[in-house]
Amino acid sequence: MTANTETLNEIFEHLHKNPELSWEETETTAWLKAFIESKGVSVRTFDDCTGLTAEIGNGSPVVAVRADIDALWQEVNGTFQANHSCGHDAHMTIVLGTFLELLEKRDQLSGTVRFIFQPAEEKGTGALKMVEKGVVDDADYLFGMHLRPFQELGPGEFAPAISHGAARLIEGSIRGDDAHGARPHLNTNAVQVGAELVMAINGMHFDPMVPQSMKVTGFQAGGKSANIIPGSAAFSVDARAQKNEVMDAMTSQFDRLIHMVADYHNIEISTEVKADMPAAILNEEATAVMEEGIIEALGTDACRPAIVTTGGDDFHFYTIKRPHVKATMLAVGCGLSPGLHHPDMTFDRSAIPDAVKVMTCAVQKALET
């Protein structure tokens, strides 16, 4: 238990009960700003987006710690609402806990620690905005974290890196004219086109040695009149691949598929990539520092090898856009179930103070390198 465990519980409860969607995290940003400023530390906010940064210490090296602050939009107990089913409420709590621990030692810090509270991770665009704002331009190290489902790590287990796969989220539209249900020869049924797309996507094959998947995750067509054949529809596609080059091959074939179906039916189908998260490029130095932090904080029994997961995170844009930054994400085992993005996701909150201990140790070790 850390000295701030009760405070961590209070922080988590507030953030958990007040989720906000990507790019709409205004109250979350304001609350974080007020909390940090109440500790005598100034913050930097932005005129054109949510999120903020704060720092303690001074000089080099600069070690940054990032938390994502947005929530998902999903149906919970029959009602659509914002929901922290990806654990970002816990991530913010861990970073604030690290902030509190290091604040007590600020006079002993041999460098600068920057805390980044990033919006819109779920959209895959928040990290790019923060890069644009220059928040890691002078950073030597960057640490993130993510709760892991029970299938990957057990309670009390931590891994020094997360090897995320690439993720590409695509939205598309089928545009045509409606027709009377008795005259199907007068239009192309958008529902039939959607079914063809699903079957064709399921028939795409790539290197089986590289984990990958592509699936239709949304499809809307038609209205309340069952005797109208819809000519238009909207759909979404989620693509995942463990390697960036496989992702490129998948989406290239998907594009050819879209053109083929559109030409065959003589209709218009358009697509747009709404989020594009790259696969992780692991940094050995940052991973080694995080491993030392786990062992020093919790002992060797708590440390596990780097996690490989097909999930994605826009955290990896920081190192792709700023290659000089040594970055890694702490994998936090916490008995998370039934799984990430499940509306009823739960986890063992006792993992939060342990994660704070690990992150605090890792930051201190990075400052000493």
Side-chain angles (χ1 to χ4, degrees), residues 56-57 98-110 296 357 360-361 364 367:
I56 56 178
T98 305
F99 165 76
L100 293 174
E101 291 291 321
L102 293 172
L103 189 62
E104 297 176 1
K105 308 170 184 177
R106 65 188 306 172
D107 294 336
Q108 306 167 32
L109 299 178
S110 54
E296 180 172 311
K357 289 180 183 179
T360 301
C361 285
Q364 290 175 305
L367 289 172

Side-chain angles (χ1 to χ4, degrees), residues 205-348:
H205 298 290
F206 303 93
D207 185 352
M209 300 303 292
V210 180
Q212 34 79 18
S213 70
M214 179 179 285
K215 75 294 292 183
V216 175
T217 54
F219 191 87
Q220 298 84 38
K224 296 182 179 181
S225 299
N227 62 343
I228 294 177
I229 303 172
S232 297
F235 63 92
S236 59
V237 173
D238 177 292
R240 308 273 169 166
Q242 204 59 43
K243 294 183 178 180
N244 291 318
E245 54 268 30
V246 173
M247 173 61 75
D248 291 339
M250 290 170 64
T251 50
S252 178
Q253 186 164 328
F254 173 75
D255 289 341
R256 293 195 298 273
L257 168 64
I258 291 294
H259 288 303
M260 179 189 71
V261 174
D263 288 344
Y264 177 77
H265 288 289
N266 193 29
I267 57 173
E268 182 180 352
I269 305 177
S270 61
T271 60
E272 180 182 2
V273 175
K274 304 301 289 188
D276 189 9
M277 291 168 278
I281 301 174
L282 301 185
N283 181 271
E284 293 183 1
E285 292 180 64
T287 300
V289 169
M290 187 61 72
E291 182 174 345
E292 292 175 14
I294 295 170
I295 293 171
E296 180 172 311
L298 303 174
T300 54
D301 289 344
C303 191
R304 296 291 181 270
I307 295 296
V308 177
T309 179
T310 53
D313 199 296
D314 74 349
F315 177 87
H316 305 294
F317 273 127
Y318 289 107
T319 48
I320 286 177
K321 296 297 183 180
R322 298 293 183 267
H324 71 277
V325 179
K326 304 166 190 173
T328 192
M329 297 188 78
L330 173 68
V332 180
C334 54
L336 187 152
S337 67
L340 292 166
H341 290 204
H342 190 284
D344 299 320
M345 184 274 277
T346 61
F347 69 97
D348 182 356

Side-chain angles (χ1 to χ4, degrees), residues 22-62:
S22 302
W23 299 123
E24 299 177 18
E25 313 96 328
T26 52
E27 294 301 320
T28 302
T29 299
W31 188 89
L32 292 167
K33 179 176 184 291
F35 181 89
I36 294 171
E37 288 181 338
S38 73
K39 306 302 179 183
V41 176
S42 61
V43 305
R44 176 191 176 193
T45 55
F46 309 101
D47 294 335
D48 60 344
C49 69
T50 47
L52 71 151
T53 65
E55 58 185 51
I56 56 178
N58 57 77
S60 297
V62 175

Side-chain angles (χ1 to χ4, degrees), residues 73-131:
W73 180 255
Q74 63 185 159
E75 186 176 2
V76 183
N77 298 324
T79 303
F80 277 93
Q81 62 187 62
N83 187 36
H84 272 306
S85 58
C86 202
H88 295 183
D89 44 2
H91 301 167
M92 288 184 277
T93 304
I94 292 167
V95 172
L96 285 177
T98 305
F99 165 76
L100 293 174
E101 291 291 321
L102 293 172
L103 189 62
E104 297 176 1
K105 308 170 184 177
R106 65 188 306 172
D107 294 336
Q108 306 167 32
L109 299 178
S110 54
T112 301
V113 185
R114 180 172 302 138
F115 303 91
I116 302 169
F117 294 90
Q118 177 211 301
E121 187 278 330
E122 297 295 351
K123 294 291 187 183
T125 50
L128 289 171
K129 189 67 172 180
M130 292 296 99
V131 170

